[in-house]
Amino acid sequence: LTISIAIDAMGGDRAPAEVVRGAVLAARESPDLHLFLVGREKEVRDELERAEWRGDSIEVVAAENVIGMGDSPVEALRKKRGSSIEVATRLVREGRAAAFVSAGNTGACVAAASLFIGLLKAVKRPGIAVVFYTAKNPVTLIDVGANVYSKPEHLVQYGLMASIYSRDILGVENPRVGLLNVGEEDEKGSALAKTSHSLFQSARVNFIGNIEGADIFSGDVQVVVCDGFVGNIVLKVSEGLAEKLMQHASQTIKEAIATLPNSLEIGMALKRAFGSLQKRIDYSEYGGAPLLGVNGSVIISHGRSDAKAISNAIGVAKRMAANDLASRMAEVLEVH
Amino acid sequence: LTISIAIDAMGGDRAPAEVVRGAVLAARESPDLHLFLVGREKEVRDELERAEWRGDSIEVVAAENVIGMGDSPVEALRKKRGSSIEVATRLVREGRAAAFVSAGNTGACVAAASLFIGLLKAVKRPGIAVVFYTAKNPVTLIDVGANVYSKPEHLVQYGLMASIYSRDILGVENPRVGLLNVGEEDEKGSALAKTSHSLFQSARVNFIGNIEGADIFSGDVQVVVCDGFVGNIVLKVSEGLAEKLMQHASQTIKEAIATLPNSLEIGMALKRAFGSLQKRIDYSEYGGAPLLGVNGSVIISHGRSDAKAISNAIGVAKRMAANDLASRMAEVLEVH
């Protein structure tokens, strides 16, 4: 069975070169993929040439307009008609592609996916999920910024959808769902948190109650739900802190071993080890963030994505499509 | 000039032993302190005995009731009359102490400080600040949980008060103030963020606009303002992530150097270096979190505080009182 994926070749800080190279990587690894590279035709074809691609499982679809990373999403979609994001999402709507991958403007991807692909029938708001790979379990945090005006029913739907993602894509059995809050007691937090907490009690998820910020990284709860304002800040705090701490740590180590006789050897051993730790905390390694709640498989990758990150994103999009995740979510949400 | 500080001897996971030891440490270091240790008289006197304290700059004030870490703050204050928190904050109200330090129930400390010490005249809501020590500058984040129902005018007052704290206690000249948001553009974020952004434009602080989560750790902005719900989650995410990352890093290092000939020597050098890094990110090292907006100097320490953390907290409280920080804040807020 071939799975078709529409890729925004113009999305991200390093597009189109790294996006095209990522698509080529994925196409070489998985012969059962059919990839649409959507973007400025000449640029995309030039990059394919540079990557020495000769196969027929990559198809170039022309879209001459590009929405920039800093553009206002809704305005850009209205004014820049026929953008790569629009054309790619329309391929999903038309059924020609089962999935959409972009490292471009997040807001524009969310808006285009909602508008052109469409939301699942029962879904009120789509949500962006990211996965943290803790020592114990992968933890799915939702929403990290699709929706900054969340209502309690949105949060409950996020919990339902992310539970399915966690189970079917990440392999977590009966994932435990926690509501991110300022304390564990039931009556804690904002009005949104309190009402969400009581709605979650009767939701068909494995709800374990409120959790605090530090609990995200324990791995004991595998789905963490919050509104998009809080989630976006949590994601960026985590990225920023991890980066700074790793910088500090390597500087500290460098100084500590400088006077030891075999400092070069030690340095190399530690560099290798730290590289693997860095990978573990770099979520772009894992292929980007699924947008849950739309009628298709959508992955929004980090703006800084390189070819490998894009190829990983395509891999996750493929698994979401192969599992027909959107339909499963639709079923669960409708009986709810 | 002697500065008097009321200390909740019963507050925190390791009270009264570590609190009393911390007070003794501080009293030995600073002869210009007068400390009230408020708590169960016999227990406190026994600990003073154990610490071999003989001086007269520590005075025990009896308070037989104790509010537990898990107690509901307002209810506990109402039912457990004469608690150590109540008696200590009343010492500030009566002018017998200039400052209050507790490692106890945060909510109860905020409520007692508001109720018994009282808010500064213009202040609508007090806010808890914490300081992150980045490579460049100390960064003051406010509010981390005093007030989960923030309004725009509360956030502006937090910015004003934390600027004074940053300048007078942390030595940051003309601190740059950022509003924590989901994007840097002016029109980004929740309704609270948008209105706060426009109010900040005309506030007498060095407001530089919206910042994102990752910017907290750059040190380029020295005061970060957000509502107590978001701030509490940011604080706990940071603590939790830093702890896990340091665990990972030391495990990674241990494995990487295990096969090297002088692994013991390397291990010891790295352990020392990591210890100092750990201290840098452990905010309890720096004496806890000031509660800004009350009519006195209040420090709320981490529940896990040991003697050293308590002694540091007393040191910060002393500097706040010596600078008469509360009066300075009152002046700035009133002309506002």
Side-chain angles (χ1 to χ4, degrees), chain B residues 114-136:
Chain B
S114 308
L115 211 63
F116 303 127
I117 301 179
L119 300 182
L120 294 176
K121 215 171 113 192
V123 165
K124 306 258 197 310
R125 289 277 189 288
I128 302 174
V130 293
V131 180
F132 291 99
Y133 287 79
T134 71
K136 256 193 229 167

Side-chain angles (χ1 to χ4, degrees), chain A residues 134-295:
Chain A
T134 71
K136 254 193 229 167
N137 278 304
V139 176
T140 304
L141 174 71
I142 186 169
D143 168 46
V144 299
N147 172 20
V148 298
Y149 296 103
S150 296
K151 291 182 182 164
E153 51 268 45
H154 304 159
L155 297 195
V156 172
Q157 291 196 332
Y158 292 156
L160 283 159
M161 295 192 291
S163 291
I164 295 171
Y165 186 85
S166 176
R167 186 191 65 194
D168 293 350
I169 301 298
L170 304 173
V172 178
E173 234 179 287
N174 198 20
R176 290 156 58 89
V177 178
L179 179 66
L180 191 57
N181 205 331
V182 296
E184 286 173 10
E185 302 80 2
D186 289 1
E187 74 286 356
K188 277 270 178 173
S190 59
L192 172 63
K194 283 178 198 166
T195 314
S196 303
H197 187 281
S198 78
L199 277 189
F200 261 117
Q201 306 279 12
S202 55
R204 293 198 204 176
V205 289
N206 186 8
F207 183 61
I208 61 111
N210 292 327
I211 65 161
E212 295 192 64
D215 303 324
I216 298 175
F217 306 101
S218 69
D220 292 332
V221 172
Q222 295 90 32
V223 169
V224 177
V225 178
C226 61
D227 72 75
F229 188 83
V230 170
N232 185 271
I233 289 171
V234 166
L235 174 63
K236 286 174 180 169
V237 160
S238 305
E239 288 183 315
L241 179 60
E243 196 183 314
K244 289 288 174 200
L245 270 182
M246 295 300 280
Q247 281 171 9
H248 272 301
S250 48
Q251 187 56 34
T252 301
I253 287 169
K254 214 179 265 176
E255 287 162 16
I257 63 173
T259 58
L260 295 173
N262 54 341
S263 63
L264 203 71
E265 189 190 354
I266 307 169
M268 266 160 27
L270 288 176
K271 204 167 182 178
R272 272 194 303 275
F274 258 64
S276 67
L277 182 61
Q278 192 88 56
K279 267 189 197 169
R280 203 188 169 77
I281 60 175
D282 180 4
Y283 87 98
S284 73
E285 281 286 325
Y286 298 96
L291 176 68
L292 304 184
V294 292
N295 194 12

Side-chain angles (χ1 to χ4, degrees), chain A residues 160 164 167 204 327-336:
Chain A
L160 283 159
I164 295 171
R167 186 191 65 194
R204 293 198 204 176
S327 305
R328 294 201 194 188
M329 289 181 184
E331 281 163 26
V332 170
L333 290 169
E334 265 172 59
V335 297
H336 222 273

Side-chain angles (χ1 to χ4, degrees), chain B residues 28-56:
Chain B
R28 283 191 177 130
E29 266 171 33
S30 309
D32 54 348
L33 279 176
H34 183 84
L35 303 180
F36 296 99
L37 276 175
V38 184
R40 292 192 184 126
E41 195 168 353
K42 180 163 172 1
E43 289 179 41
V44 175
R45 288 202 189 281
D46 285 352
E47 292 297 341
L48 279 173
E49 191 68 36
R50 219 161 282 151
E52 301 181 347
W53 174 255
R54 296 280 172 272
D56 55 5

Side-chain angles (χ1 to χ4, degrees), chain B residues 12 31 36 78 87 97 101 104 112 140 144 153 155 160 166-167 181 183 203 206 214 223 242 270 279 291 299-300 306:
Chain B
F36 296 99
R78 200 167 38 219
V87 173
V101 172
T140 305
V144 299
E153 50 268 44
L155 297 195
L160 284 158
S166 175
R167 186 191 66 196
N181 205 331
N206 186 8
V223 170
L270 289 176
K279 266 188 195 169
L291 176 69
I299 295 283
I300 303 173
D306 58 9

